[in-house]
Amino acid sequence: MAHVPQTFFDALAVRTWCGLTLRALGRAREEIDAINVYPVADGDTGTNLYLTAESAAAAVEAVFDGHDAHGSGKPALADAARAMAHGALIGARGNSGTILAQLLRGMAQVLAADGETAHTDGEGLRLALRHAADSARQAVAHPVEGTVLTVASAAADAAGAAEGDCGTVARAAYDGARAALAATPGQLAVLERAGVVDAGGRGLVAVLGALVETFTGEAPRAVPVMSAPSQAGSAEVSADALDECADAPGTGGPAFEVIYLLEADDTAVARLRERLDGLGDSLVVVGGDGLWNVHVHVDDAGAAVEAGIEAGRPYRIRITHFGLGDVHTTGAERQPRERAQRAVVAVVPGEGLAGLYTEAGATTVLARPGEPPASGELVEAVRRAHAREVVLLPNDADLRHTAAAAAEQARAEGIRVALIPTRSAVQGIAALAVHEPERRFDEDVVQMTSAAGATRYAEVAVAERQSWTMAGICQAGDVLGLIDGDVAVIGSDVIVTAETVLDRMLSAGGELVTLVLGDEAPEAVADHLETRVRESYLAVDTVVYRGGRQGAVLLIGVE
């Protein structure tokens, strides 16, 4: 879809760039996955870049939506740039996505340096690209030439030599990156053996192509992915080539990929880098200001996580086993894993509930407070469930469109997906409790939908700011009781407010009360509410779960 070219790099240009980047990576994702042979031939570089960009784009959209809601016009360049960088940081996937996140963070540090500036010009873009390339190289423990780092440096060099507006600088950066990408097989033997260019570098060229389109309105020409001796126009790498890459000296490596977000100070992260560097390879640590994204390949995944615990508070921990017979071991062909008939994929708001859902057999996607998952993350979870039929539980009214988009994507891939519009994790628990994989798919979905619909939900939370609610005006620090998504009670004490909410819910009847306690919940709240139910409501049972850091102080479900 055509758009009006942007003259300066302002907040709207950031938004446009993110959208065009997502579209470009979406078109190139499978091609990039197919040529992914370094550092691990696991065929996911394109997907990881796409998911990272999707998270960045969603964060920028959220900033614009917030300004629209308050009638304050468009956001400042600094706000949009910081949102882009933060979104990429929390959504970064794999080695390539983590480096892309640092590239965007490096650009944002320059673009947001003066928080009052409405826009920047070609000179600002040159500086941003230079800082991005330098900061990404510093984030990698052992930089290797012939990779995305080389392509990023070449783009910055070419941009630095260009004179003119943002469009001219962006075009120069793109041309420099494209030339550097074509040279990567001559710099990295594993690429030359496979007859391909670097996959991460190819992804960065797509990102820079979107930058050119942002400022000129014209999409650059296609980029070849095969090196000169190979068949032009084909994006496939033969199995023999991959096996040769796997068997080549120096391309073996650890068995696990470990990724997590980490809350820690700079000093602790410096020690963590040293610790992880001794445990494995492909170490990339990006971020700053107390929040980091850690990526490493290791044989001892537990030790990598323990190192993060020693440094601070790791969360969103993802551990991927590269598997027997892949490029990290013998190069032998793996037998495809048989698909299960049915699976449940659920979005959950805290680590405690993630454990509960996992024990019940569900594949989970963790949604941290203020960090909702993107549709690509849900699609990835559906794929990870590896089933012919999938029941998707978004567990949040605000995720209904995201979940619907993910369901459509999965259906296009041949997976039968049913979306149950659960609006709270307690509704998801009710649905999961009646799930029976042996039933016919339609019947199972009907029963799960019925159970979720019969569960009223509430939450107790603390107001972050003054605002208008259905129950009146609340002040920052007030305790809010929300029933079925609307504020019904405004109080000053968590236990008193929770009791009032529970009484209102049980006044309409109920047989089972589910309480999910957040980390901030008072120790006495569960005992108090259980006693209240036992003494005041006959034949009503109560079950209590620990939800962890889930945003709300307390979740309540009544069936």
Side-chain angles (χ1 to χ4, degrees), residues 253-301:
F256 295 94
E257 178 184 58
V258 178
I259 306 174
Y260 49 79
L261 291 178
L262 178 71
E263 293 177 355
D265 59 36
D266 292 2
T267 303
V269 170
R271 293 194 298 267
L272 176 65
R273 289 178 192 270
E274 294 181 6
R275 174 86 180 276
L276 293 179
D277 194 26
L279 288 175
D281 58 29
S282 297
L283 173 61
V284 186
V285 181
V286 304
D289 302 319
L291 181 63
W292 309 82
N293 192 307
V294 178
H295 170 281
V296 67
H297 294 173
V298 292
D299 280 322
D300 189 344

Side-chain angles (χ1 to χ4, degrees), residues 486-504:
D486 293 323
V487 176
V489 180
I490 299 175
S492 58
D493 181 83
V494 170
I495 294 178
V496 173
T497 303
E499 181 179 317
T500 303
V501 168
L502 185 57
D503 284 340
R504 290 194 186 184

